[in-house]
Amino acid sequence: MPYVTASDGARIHYKDWGQGRPVVLSHGWPLNADSWEAQQLFLASNGFRAIAHDRRGHGRSTQTWLGNEMNTYADDLATLIDALDLRDATLVGFSTGGGEVARYVGRHGTARLAQLVLVSAVPPFMLKTDDNPGGVPVEVFDAIRAGSIADRSQLYRDLADGPFFGGNRPGAGPSQGVRDTFWLQGLQSGHRNAYECIAAFSATDFRADLDAFDVPTLVIHGDDDQVVPFEVGGKASAARIKNASLKAYPGAPHGITDTHKEQLNADLLEFLNS
C-alpha cells in the first residue's frame, strides 16, 4: 500500500486511482479514505486522478499519540500534495475533512490548487462562543466525548443508525450495509486519535482560513444536516468565502457522500469541468 511520511515520521496511507487532473479527497470523522469510494471510482472513471488519504490516526495511517489537531492534519495533507507533486488540484473536504482543507489553505496557500469544494463541512466554526452565538453548544460535543470513552463502538452504531445518515427521520434510513461500514471504519481509527479529533473538528475556528480562499469554491450541504447544521456550516461558509457557490440539498442529512452519492457525483463533475 502506498504511503507518504510526515515530518514526525507518521506514515499516511493514500489511494491513488485514475489519471488526469488531480482531485484530493479529505474524509470525515471517524472514517477513512474508503468513505470516498463512490466518488473516487466515479471521478477516476471520468478522466480524473482521484486521491484519498487516511488521516493520521485513522484507517491504515499511523496511530500517533500527538498531532491529532487541525494544524498537523493540514501539514500532513501538504506532505501528500508535495510528495506527489500535484498541481492544478481540486481539494474536496467532507465534514472534518472540510476543516482540514480549510486549514491547508490557511497554512499553505493555493499555489498548487485550481478549485476547492466543501461538503457537509465543519467550517467556519462549529462551537457556540460569545462571538459565534449561533454555534453548537459545547455540551453536544462533551456528550460525544463521553460516549467515546464509555463505549465508542456503540457510539458509532448510534450515529450511523441516527443523525449521520438521517435514519431517525420518518421514512428515511440508509441500508444496513452503509451503517455497518461507518461503524467498521470508526473502529479502525485509534481510540485517542478519534477522541482528540472531536475537539479538532468542533472547537477549531476556520474563519480566517476561509478568508484566504482565492480560487473557485463550491459549497455543498444538506439542509437537514443534524451533525453540522446547515446554518452553522454550509450557509455560513458560502457567505464568508469570496465568490463561493452554494448548493443546498433539500432534506438531505450529513452523510450525503452515501445517501446522495449520484447527485453529489454529478455536481462534483460539473464543477470540475466548469
Side-chain angles (χ1 to χ4, degrees), residues 64-82:
T64 55
W65 188 252
L66 302 176
N68 305 303
E69 34 72 29
M70 282 293 167
N71 286 350
T72 303
Y73 296 160
D75 292 349
D76 290 346
L77 178 58
T79 295
L80 175 67
I81 291 170
D82 292 348

Side-chain angles (χ1 to χ4, degrees), residues 12 24-28 36 51-56 58 67 69-78 80-81 91-108 113 116-118 121-123 197 200-201 204 206 209 213:
I12 307 299
V24 182
L25 303 151
S26 292
H27 64 79
W36 282 116
I51 301 162
H53 67 292
D54 292 349
R55 184 171 301 116
R56 68 168 55 216
H58 298 70
E69 34 72 29
M70 282 293 167
N71 286 350
T72 303
Y73 296 160
D75 292 349
D76 290 346
L77 178 58
L80 175 67
I81 291 170
L91 298 190
V92 184
F94 168 74
S95 194
T96 298
E100 179 178 284
V101 164
R103 184 52 50 92
Y104 171 88
V105 173
R107 287 174 69 83
H108 300 278
L113 307 183
L116 292 159
V117 184
L118 300 178
V122 298
C197 190
F201 73 67
T204 303
F206 300 102
D209 302 300
F213 281 34

Side-chain angles (χ1 to χ4, degrees), residues 193-206:
N193 307 104
Y195 180 86
E196 292 199 333
C197 190
I198 298 166
F201 73 67
S202 67
T204 303
D205 186 345
F206 300 102

Side-chain angles (χ1 to χ4, degrees), residues 196-241:
E196 292 199 333
C197 190
I198 298 166
F201 73 67
S202 67
T204 303
D205 186 345
F206 300 102
R207 288 175 288 191
D209 302 300
L210 297 188
D211 293 342
F213 281 34
D214 60 1
V215 296
T217 302
L218 174 63
V219 179
I220 300 174
H221 215 106
D223 70 4
D224 191 31
D225 190 326
Q226 301 171 70
V227 177
V228 183
F230 176 70
E231 299 282 340
V232 174
K235 185 176 180 180
S237 285
R240 191 171 189 104
I241 298 167

Side-chain angles (χ1 to χ4, degrees), residues 15 24 28 39 51 63 81 99 123 127 141 152 162 183:
K15 300 162 67 172
V24 182
Q39 289 70 45
I51 301 162
Q63 294 185 9
I81 291 170
L127 187 64
F141 305 114
R152 76 183 186 117
W183 170 81

